[in-house]
Amino acid sequence: MAMPDPLVRKIIHIDMDAFFAAVEERDDSMLKDRPVIVGGDPNSRGVVATCNYAARRFGIHSAMTASRAKVLCPDAVFVRPRMEVYREVSRQVMGVLRSVTPQVEPLSLDEAYLDVTELLLPDVYARDIARDIQRKITLETDLTASAGVSYNKLLAKLASDWRKPNGLMVIPPERGADFLAELPVRKLHGIGPSTAAKMEGLNIHKVSDLRVYSRQQLVVFFGKVGSWYHDVSHGIDHRPVEPFRKRQSVGYERTFPEDLCDPAEIRACIYEMADKAIGRLQVLQSAGKTVTLKIRLRDFRTITRSRSIAGYVQNRSDLDDLLPWLMEKTITEQPVRLLGVTISSLVSRESLPPEQIALGL
């Protein structure tokens, strides 16, 4: 079995705990210790954007209909998203991370990778840096974050999810392969529900099952991406932390555990994804020219429609002008298994003329 290079980078993945819901609890003391759901109206066609851990104990999860969440937890408090507030808190969090190292790659409003390899000294360990980051985030925002520390992005992200909330887990090189072995393959980066289903047809359920096949065999089964599946199953991930990576697009998509059949519910989900896409755009301090809506139907047919604007997409109101047309061109009476919203042809907001920069960002 190929082993990772022990001279490796030291990567930290920071992930805020139930971010939107935690901000709401922080700002309203009446919500403390109650199940909190951030999303749409449970009495209409709203959708759950996220929820706190008290609500998750009832089986509630993101993209569930708000009405279903209300059935599962009648005492839950439903709160409409306040994206501007979340973006401001995100700026505080990212400021904390960049005070530690410039090697920060934001993934969304509430998570990022850091490469702290160059900060390490004989008496300074990556786990200590991670603990210090957690402490600083709490002091700055009165919120908690979980941290994962490992020798690559794959394992750092998995580790950050292992002891939530407010947890810290370290996976050193000598433990990486063993940690992965018993995980379901769907936990690996790049393996979605449809790929996981195909793997199950090959009797591949756990990461250890994936290792039975050679790189060549996995390429035959899955195409070029099979080489990636081979590497990550052995704990190998050479992707660098890219703080200044020029992104061509940002977006959000989700495959649903159950097909969506109600057009109103589909539209509500699309608007929730639009919020997430705008959040990622603003974390990168970027603007985009083109918006694409992607819908995958029950029979796996995929419909995509794009539309560009003369100016730039920078905030949710810009998307609100485009989404109705895109939805009209894509939503059918067929059940939907996947939805996605992407903003592309990105430029830095710093490069825009002053009159084109949206206020309040």
Side-chain angles (χ1 to χ4, degrees):
M1 179 184 299
M3 289 299 292
D5 180 1
L7 299 177
V8 199
R9 310 155 293 159
K10 304 300 181 183
I11 307 298
I12 299 173
H13 180 256
I14 296 293
D15 191 7
M16 299 298 292
D17 298 319
F19 183 49
F20 293 0
V23 171
E24 298 301 335
E25 286 185 83
R26 181 198 68 176
D27 293 350
D28 185 351
S29 60
M30 298 295 290
L31 299 178
K32 186 173 177 58
D33 299 324
R34 299 184 65 183
V36 176
I37 297 171
V38 179
D41 186 347
N43 297 315
S44 62
R45 300 294 184 177
V47 175
V48 175
T50 189
C51 60
N52 65 0
Y53 294 98
R56 293 179 193 185
R57 288 196 288 269
F58 291 87
I60 298 168
H61 55 77
S62 62
M64 173 182 285
T65 62
S67 58
R68 173 62 178 161
K70 184 70 172 178
V71 170
L72 291 174
C73 185
D75 295 329
V77 180
F78 287 79
V79 180
R80 291 294 295 165
R82 298 183 297 154
M83 296 307 300
E84 288 302 323
V85 176
Y86 309 149
R87 282 191 277 269
E88 177 55 36
V89 178
S90 175
R91 281 191 281 269
Q92 292 178 278
V93 172
M94 297 304 165
V96 169
L97 303 186
R98 293 189 177 102
S99 73
V100 175
T101 174
Q103 299 302 309
V104 176
E105 180 184 337
L107 300 178
S108 61
L109 290 176
D110 60 343
E111 61 176 321
Y113 290 112
L114 299 83
D115 188 330
V116 299
T117 308
E118 295 183 359
L119 302 181
L120 303 186
L121 298 169
D123 58 345
V124 177
Y125 298 94
R127 71 169 69 89
D128 299 325
I129 296 174
R131 285 196 187 100
D132 190 51
I133 289 171
Q134 290 176 293
R135 180 184 61 81
K136 288 179 177 178
I137 287 174
T138 298
L139 286 173
E140 181 74 19
T141 68
D142 199 24
L143 302 170
T144 64
S146 293
V149 181
S150 197
Y151 56 90
N152 61 35
K153 285 181 169 182
L154 169 77
L155 284 160
K157 186 171 175 64
L158 288 170
S160 70
D161 195 45
W162 207 250
R163 292 175 178 161
K164 275 186 166 289
N166 200 26
L168 170 64
M169 184 172 185
V170 179
I171 304 176
E174 63 273 14
R175 286 183 48 214
D178 288 343
F179 174 83
L180 288 167
E182 296 302 309
L183 291 182
V185 289
R186 65 179 179 276
K187 291 286 189 180
L188 294 181
H189 177 80
I191 297 181
S194 60
T195 301
K198 184 175 181 180
M199 287 183 175
E200 288 177 3
L202 295 168
N203 204 31
I204 300 172
H205 304 281
K206 300 183 296 185
V207 174
S208 57
D209 299 328
L210 193 57
R211 294 174 186 165
V212 171
Y213 295 94
S214 68
R215 183 187 303 274
Q216 292 75 18
Q217 287 174 309
L218 292 175
V219 169
V220 169
F221 294 150
F222 302 103
K224 292 181 180 179
V225 74
S227 184
W228 165 256
Y229 298 155
H230 174 271
D231 283 350
V232 295
S233 73
H234 291 84
I236 299 170
D237 175 10
H238 297 303
R239 292 175 299 155
V241 170
E242 299 181 281
F244 306 112
R245 176 176 58 173
K246 181 172 175 54
R247 297 285 295 269
Q248 297 301 316
S249 66
V250 295
Y252 186 86
E253 71 175 41
R254 179 180 175 85
T255 300
F256 299 96
E258 298 179 0
D259 294 345
L260 304 183
C261 299
D262 188 322
E265 182 180 352
I266 293 168
R267 289 186 176 87
C269 283
I270 289 170
Y271 279 112
E272 296 290 353
M273 290 178 181
D275 277 334
K276 292 178 183 292
I278 284 293
R280 292 180 178 179
L281 185 74
Q282 294 182 344
V283 164
L284 296 171
Q285 290 293 294
S286 297
K289 295 284 291 182
T290 303
V291 177
T292 300
L293 177 59
K294 174 181 177 182
I295 293 182
R296 182 165 295 150
L297 305 177
R298 175 178 287 173
D299 61 6
F300 287 92
R301 284 186 296 127
T302 301
I303 302 171
T304 59
R305 293 291 184 274
S306 299
R307 191 165 189 177
S308 300
I309 63 173
Y312 289 92
V313 175
Q314 299 178 65
N315 53 40
R316 172 61 188 272
S317 63
D318 297 325
L319 281 184
D320 287 345
D321 293 336
L322 296 173
L323 288 177
W325 183 89
L326 292 170
M327 289 189 286
E328 180 183 348
K329 299 297 182 182
T330 52
I331 295 176
T332 70
E333 295 181 356
Q334 300 297 314
V336 169
R337 62 182 293 110
L338 175 146
L339 291 171
V341 176
T342 302
I343 306 167
S344 58
S345 301
L346 302 187
V347 298
S348 168
R349 291 186 67 246
E350 293 179 353
S351 68
L352 298 180
E355 64 271 15
Q356 292 189 18
I357 296 178
L359 299 177
L361 299 183

